Structure formats: structure tokens, C-alpha cells
Amino acid sequence: MDNGQLADLNIPVSTNQSISTGVSGQRRAILRNAQGNYILTQAVNLPFTLVNDTNDPPEPPTPTGGCYEAESGSRSPGTDLSSGGNASGGQYVGGFDGASRYVDFTVNVTSAGNFPLTFYYGSGEAGGYIDHAINGGSVARLNGISTTGGWNQFAASNAVTLVLNAGNNTIRVQGGFRFTLDKICLDGGSTPPPTPPSGSFALNPPTLDCGSGNVVLSVVNSNGSTVEYRAIGLRDWETGNVLNVPSHQRNGTTFTFQARQSGTEVSQSLTTNCAGYRLGLASSEPVEDADTGLVISPNPSSGRVSGRFRLGVGERGSLLVQSLTGAVLQSRAVVGTGATQTEVLDMEGEPSGLYLIRVIGRATLSNGSKAQTGRVLLMR
């Protein structure tokens, strides 16, 4: 320094070296490197407080999105950790066969908002669903989980919208049916919508994506409490706002979509008009499940339905009618004849909507084969 002290800073520039001095007033430091070169710093007034005046850019904020592998979450007892899969070659989680089975993910966002979330799942059989909850709140359900060709062959689900708080949030994937989980991916999110203007609670006019068959429902003048949605012929009341229209109903079918909140129900109608899609089947035309050979007729139906199927000679099984959530509405014991046989189901007491018809034989359960499953639409 100016008083004759020298400091050897022949060390990596990424480290700091302190020089103690008792002098005051305006001073400069003289630095000498290994090559004998001298460097004179700018003048400073002593004593002083060291500050960063290099104009370095600020640290980037904590990301508000990203993917979280299923094996990195906190798993409940009974969930299965397996290896393999065509998505990443890593691990995935299965065994979601009850509400007590779950994987918790902790995600951190810099500010509160609405965040789209996608599940990367595998399924060897169609007709599944994924249950999920945020920060210990009510359970929501994503329906329409299609087969991916195998339990370790993964695909992205439709996105669901989550309302997250600033800071840490817990996303729980639980229960559900017919899926394994590879990872979840959270998008960047958006600022929550402004408080709606005063007025009546209402459902926005629905629109249909002809490619995916999805109808995304939304409301105005919500009071902030839970909103449920349904459509006669598609799905009963649930909190998920994405409903899927089957391909045979995407041209010339009229649906009534409904929303309810705090006891108030509102509705909007939509007649599908997707070019290139055939009209819904006439009531006399049977529908055969391409995978299992189960034939259901008429479909759509007004109440009485015939199911044609085949079981081995003397094979005992069950013929089930289920809701899309898996609830068993009817059950009947059947015995196979070795040939095609027909059973008539009386569904006149069930409300309009979409139902599953399943035939499960004992041989099916023992050899791991798929149950014979089809869908029937009740329309009145």
C-alpha cells in the first residue's frame, strides 16, 4: 500500500485475500503478480465497507417448473418401485390400488398461481384414472387414461391445472386405477386470474377439440369454493374440468355440460360438428371391443343391453356393470360354455351416462390376462 506494505496476490482470482491496515484517509492498493507486474487499484476512503460494484447479473429466481421423477418422491408402504421403461430407462412406481397408496412430491414455486401439470404414466389396459391432491386438500381425478401398450411404456397425460401457493407445495399422486407413474412435469404457471366482476355464476360456452376430443370447461363469477362439472352421457359430477368426447360422438351429438358451486347449477349446450368423424351408432348396431371380443348391443341404449362373450367350458366368472370411477353397480355370476354366449342386462334404473361392462373369468385372474371390457352409453 502507499505506506510501503506489499501484498502478494499470486493466487487464483476466484478467491479473496484480506489486508489489515490501521491507516485512514484516501488510499490505493498496489498489487504485484508472479510476473512482477504492478497493478494500482482505484482510490478508496478508509475505513470503508466493501461492496460488489461489478454489476454482475442477479441470481436467477427459483424455477417455477420442471419434472420430478416418481422414485424421488416420498412413497407410502405398498407402492412398488420397478426398473425399466422406454421413457428414460430409469425407475417407475406402481401399486396404486387404493387411497392409502401414494407418492408425495415437494415442489417449490416463487409465486402463487395456476400451474399446468402433466403425468407421465404407463398402462397395459385402457379405462384407468389418476387421483391427486394438493397440500392435503380434496382429491381430484384425471379420467380417460388410455393404454400405452405396457405398464413400463410411458406417455404424457392431458394436463391438469393446479393452484399452488408461493414456496413449497406437496403434490400427492394416490389411489387411481390401471397406471404406473414415471414422473410428473410442472409448467411455468401463470398469475391467478383477477377477481371476476360482480354478477351471476355462469359456465362459459364449451368448445370441442376435434383431434383429442377434449372439452375444457371454465366458469365466471366464482366465489372461490370448489366447482364441479358433469355432462350427461359422458361423466357424473367431478372437480376435473376436462371432459372427453368419444370419437363416435364428435359429429352430430348434442351434450349438456353443467357446473355447480355452493348449490348453484348452471349449464351450456354443445352440438358436436367435427368434419371427418362418423355419426353416433344407430341403436341396433353392436359394438365389439377390439381387444377382447366382447360385443355390446344396442349401443347407445335406452336401458336393456346384451353382452356377447366367450369363456372356457365350465369356467366360472362374473359379469359386471361399473361406473367410470370403478364402482360396481351390478354383478352376476356366469359359467362359460366354450362358445359365444349372451347375457341380457337391465340398466333401465341407471341414469343416462357412460358405463363399463366387464367379464372376468377365473382363468383370466390366474393367468394375468385382461378382463373383457367394453363401454355402453345410456341415452334417454
Side-chain angles (χ1 to χ4, degrees):
M1 301 185 70
D2 286 351
N3 62 0
Q5 295 181 1
L6 297 176
D8 184 4
L9 296 185
N10 187 25
I11 55 177
V13 296
S14 61
T15 62
N16 298 323
Q17 182 170 337
S18 298
I19 305 173
S20 299
T21 178
V23 301
S24 61
Q26 191 176 77
R27 294 287 189 267
R28 292 182 175 86
I30 300 174
L31 311 179
R32 184 175 62 190
N33 61 18
Q35 290 73 37
N37 297 319
Y38 290 89
I39 302 171
L40 184 65
T41 70
Q42 74 272 22
V44 295
N45 293 315
L46 299 180
F48 73 98
T49 301
L50 186 64
V51 296
N52 181 0
D53 62 353
T54 59
N55 295 320
D56 290 336
E59 291 294 323
T62 302
T64 57
C67 293
Y68 302 81
E69 295 290 336
E71 63 269 23
S72 68
S74 175
R75 303 189 305 278
S76 65
T79 50
D80 305 319
L81 184 62
S82 304
S83 297
N86 70 345
S88 59
Q91 296 177 307
Y92 60 95
V93 172
F96 297 96
D97 57 358
S100 62
R101 306 285 181 86
Y102 63 84
V103 176
D104 282 344
F105 300 89
T106 300
V107 302
N108 183 281
V109 297
T110 54
S111 59
N114 300 328
F115 294 81
L117 178 79
T118 303
F119 302 95
Y120 284 78
Y121 73 95
S123 179
E125 189 174 354
Y129 54 87
I130 297 177
D131 288 341
H132 53 283
I134 310 303
N135 298 324
S138 59
V139 176
R141 175 162 293 173
L142 175 63
N143 282 308
I145 298 302
S146 347
T147 180
T148 60
W151 301 105
N152 64 348
Q153 305 291 310
F154 302 109
S157 72
N158 294 328
V160 297
T161 299
L162 308 182
V163 180
L164 300 181
N165 303 320
N168 285 334
N169 295 263
T170 299
I171 300 175
R172 170 167 290 189
V173 180
Q174 69 181 72
F177 187 52
R178 293 181 182 163
F179 77 96
T180 57
L181 185 65
D182 179 44
K183 60 184 176 182
I184 62 172
C185 290
L186 192 69
D187 288 345
S190 61
T191 303
T195 303
S198 58
S200 300
F201 175 66
L203 179 63
N204 287 316
T207 58
L208 170 64
D209 183 323
C210 288
S212 66
N214 287 341
V215 177
V216 180
L217 302 177
S218 61
V219 298
V220 294
N221 300 313
S222 168
N223 61 17
S225 61
T226 300
V227 179
E228 295 180 296
Y229 303 91
R230 79 169 176 181
I232 300 299
L234 288 180
R235 193 191 76 187
D236 204 356
W237 292 109
E238 292 182 17
T239 55
N241 69 328
V242 180
L243 292 87
N244 188 266
V245 176
S247 58
H248 69 274
Q249 293 180 288
R250 296 180 195 172
N251 187 9
T253 304
T254 300
F255 293 100
T256 298
F257 294 93
Q258 297 173 284
R260 70 180 179 186
Q261 182 183 61
S262 303
T264 300
E265 295 184 13
V266 291
S267 63
Q268 290 274 6
S269 294
L270 169 70
T271 299
T272 59
N273 185 27
C274 293
Y277 285 88
R278 59 190 174 90
L279 294 174
L281 297 173
S283 62
S284 60
E285 184 178 347
V287 176
E288 178 176 343
D289 185 275
D291 293 329
T292 66
L294 175 63
V295 178
I296 302 171
S297 65
N299 195 1
S301 172
S302 61
R304 294 180 66 82
V305 176
S306 294
R308 298 205 303 270
F309 56 91
R310 183 190 295 266
L311 291 176
V313 176
E315 181 182 357
R316 296 183 179 275
S318 298
L319 176 63
L320 307 177
V321 177
Q322 294 179 284
S323 68
L324 293 183
T325 62
V328 177
L329 307 176
Q330 294 186 33
S331 177
R332 179 187 305 174
V334 292
V335 179
T337 64
T340 300
Q341 58 195 94
T342 301
E343 293 282 340
V344 177
L345 296 166
D346 185 355
M347 300 179 63
E348 293 182 351
E350 307 296 343
S352 297
L354 197 61
Y355 295 86
L356 300 177
I357 307 296
R358 308 186 74 199
V359 178
I360 305 176
R362 288 186 178 178
T364 300
L365 295 175
S366 62
N367 65 20
S369 300
K370 293 189 294 185
Q372 301 180 52
T373 303
R375 297 190 181 198
V376 62
L377 177 65
L378 294 187
M379 297 180 65
R380 299 186 180 90

